[in-house]
Amino acid sequence: MKDCNQCGKCCIKYGGEDLSVTKEEVDLWEMFEPNIFKFVKDYKTWFDPESGVRLKQCPFLEVVPKETPLTANKYTCSIYFNRPEDCRLYPSLIPEMIRDECEMIEAVDIANPKQAQIKLDVLMIDSHS
């Protein structure tokens, strides 16, 4: 299993309508993170604060400036420490990584998913907090 290379596939795929948030997360954003809360409507993410139209992608996903024009895009999260729990918990299972074509997974992980799951669990310990 490789470290995350910031390909952004997970954020692009799940950062829009597929992202769920808890009432507690939204309530905390309302109190302490108004810059995040303004993109929430009826406890759902992400809406344009001006028009109220649902966004197709997370507004906090940012493209990292490229070192050269030929390098692949890399992404970062501008609310990383305040991101929703759904984001903190991804990826959690080897089958979902395979399904989503996560670039962390390697052929050896697919061949031995039980061992790969152990590696993933260790890698993701810090992300879950």
Side-chain angles (χ1 to χ4, degrees):
M1 179 121 4
K2 298 183 271 187
D3 287 332
C4 176
N5 67 359
Q6 298 177 282
C7 73
K9 286 181 180 177
C10 54
C11 295
I12 292 165
K13 181 171 184 172
Y14 297 112
E17 297 175 21
D18 292 331
L19 183 66
S20 63
V21 293
T22 65
K23 181 180 182 322
E24 292 78 18
E25 287 173 310
V26 173
D27 290 345
L28 285 171
W29 291 337
E30 183 177 18
M31 287 188 289
F32 301 109
E33 298 292 339
N35 62 316
I36 301 172
F37 179 73
K38 70 182 180 182
F39 289 93
V40 177
K41 184 174 165 184
D42 299 324
Y43 293 94
K44 296 191 183 326
T45 61
W46 301 115
F47 292 84
D48 182 289
E50 305 281 322
S51 68
V53 173
R54 191 159 214 179
L55 301 171
K56 301 273 187 224
Q57 185 171 309
C58 175
F60 304 103
L61 181 62
E62 298 178 344
V63 179
V64 175
K66 291 184 175 195
E67 294 177 18
T68 69
L70 299 177
T71 56
N73 282 342
K74 288 188 177 192
Y75 297 85
T76 188
C77 174
S78 65
I79 61 166
Y80 187 79
F81 294 107
N82 294 302
R83 70 197 187 280
E85 186 177 32
D86 262 10
C87 300
R88 293 176 194 278
L89 297 177
Y90 187 90
S92 60
L93 299 171
I94 297 303
E96 80 184 346
M97 293 175 75
I98 294 168
R99 177 196 65 216
D100 296 340
E101 299 177 357
C102 177
E103 294 184 16
M104 290 173 61
I105 199 119
E106 298 179 278
V108 66
D109 301 320
I110 295 169
N112 191 345
K114 287 183 182 179
Q115 185 63 33
Q117 187 65 54
I118 292 167
K119 287 184 203 173
L120 177 62
D121 293 344
V122 170
L123 275 173
M124 294 302 292
I125 286 173
D126 290 337
S127 181
H128 295 171
S129 56

